[in-house]
Amino acid sequence: VDLAYWSTFLEVRRDCAAAFATLSMNEANLDVLSQAGALGALLALIGVGSNRNDSQVHRNAGTALSYLVKLDDIKYRLLKSPNGLQALFYLTRSPNVSVKRAAVKTLFNLASLDEAKEVIVVSGGIKSLLKLAEVKDERTKRQAVRVIRRCAELQKNRTRMMAPAILEKIIHLLGECPDLVMRRDLVETLNLVALVEDNAEVLINMGALLPLLEQTDLTISSIDTVLQCVRSVFLLVSNSPSNILTVVHQGTIGKLVRCVFEDLPRFYSHRPRQGSVGGGATHGAGGVPHSPIVEISE
């Protein structure tokens, strides 16, 4: 810890960061590291504003933080630290892929805390995360969107995340992103903000409906994503009666009818039913296969 704070030698700082990263990977060491002052030492190694920008130090320091932040006391101390979140977003801007991965993983673990969800959004962190969602590295992109979705779980954030620049980017990503996992998390994010009644009309006006309808195609989306999209349309209509005519005029009904009454039943008809013999369909008394029932929980 002392060396991490005070040494000016690059090799020493690299060795310190590597030692912290290795020790933090063993869960039994986390409490000891916390008590020894590892958090402050790691922030010193990252060195926001110190003109020390070594990717090897940053990668290992970020990796250690991603494990250490699993402790609740570290989460609170990191949030209270003047350079805590600033250090994480500083790492997200690194040109090194491994550093970006470590930083966004730390943010995801940190965002399990409601206080962290709020601070990330209030401090403008969503914009940085949306930039990460456009980098080339798939793991970084996926994790960044997962952090955004996790932030939307906090009710207070569902209004804050309705800023036009944020919403436009989320909707654009949903329409353009080829990654199934990212699309699912983006749809779930829109579902969460749509739970607020005042947001429904804004979402329609911002063009959220079209990309949601495009994801109801089972040839390009998973079953979970399709069901989430159907739920999104339900929320947009039920939370804002004025949206009903808009939804109808945008050709929603035909796509929903096809999805719910043709595509989804066809999908379920090809799945082995639980308890059936040899994977075949279960039959009623008349020998007619039971119709599949798709439930979308409210």
Side-chain angles (χ1 to χ4, degrees), residues 11 43 67 75 88 127 130 147 165 204 212 223 225 256 288:
E11 289 303 323
L43 293 177
Y67 287 102
K75 290 186 178 80
L88 295 181
K127 292 182 180 179
L130 286 170
V147 179
I204 288 288
L212 283 170
I223 182 66
T225 300
L256 286 178
V288 180

Side-chain angles (χ1 to χ4, degrees), residues 77-104:
R77 284 158 55 193
L78 182 62
L79 290 175
K80 291 179 181 178
S81 172
N83 294 326
L85 269 183
Q86 186 182 0
L88 295 181
F89 285 112
Y90 173 64
L91 292 182
T92 65
R93 297 191 292 273
S94 170
N96 186 283
V97 172
S98 297
V99 175
K100 288 181 185 293
R101 287 179 178 179
V104 77

Side-chain angles (χ1 to χ4, degrees), residues 103-230:
V104 77
K105 181 181 177 182
T106 305
L107 284 167
F108 179 76
N109 289 335
L110 182 66
S112 64
L113 197 69
D114 282 350
E115 289 87 342
K117 293 181 178 76
E118 183 169 12
V119 174
I120 288 172
V121 174
V122 171
S123 64
I126 298 296
K127 292 182 180 179
S128 297
L129 289 165
L130 286 170
K131 288 181 181 179
L132 285 175
E134 295 183 321
V135 300
K136 292 182 179 180
D137 182 58
E138 185 177 88
R139 285 172 57 184
T140 300
K141 294 194 294 187
R142 285 184 174 184
Q143 194 77 297
V145 173
R146 289 176 71 199
V147 179
I148 294 171
R149 187 210 64 206
R150 181 165 273 190
C151 287
E153 293 171 0
L154 185 68
Q155 188 168 358
K156 293 179 182 178
N157 284 343
R158 293 171 190 167
T159 300
R160 296 173 179 140
M161 291 174 65
M162 292 296 289
I166 293 174
L167 199 56
E168 285 177 2
K169 182 64 71 174
I170 291 174
I171 293 171
H172 174 75
L173 276 174
L174 178 59
E176 300 295 327
C177 176
D179 188 273
L180 288 172
V181 177
M182 285 180 62
R183 291 210 306 267
R184 180 200 64 203
D185 287 330
L186 290 166
V187 172
E188 289 181 3
T189 300
L190 289 177
N191 269 352
L192 288 166
V193 297
L195 289 170
V196 180
E197 292 187 12
D198 293 341
N199 291 348
E201 190 169 349
V202 178
L203 285 164
I204 288 288
N205 292 336
M206 293 288 287
L209 186 60
L210 183 58
L212 283 170
L213 290 175
E214 289 175 349
Q215 307 310 316
T216 60
D217 186 348
L218 277 166
T219 63
I220 63 171
S221 298
S222 68
I223 182 66
D224 290 335
T225 300
V226 171
L227 293 176
Q228 287 288 346
C229 289
V230 174

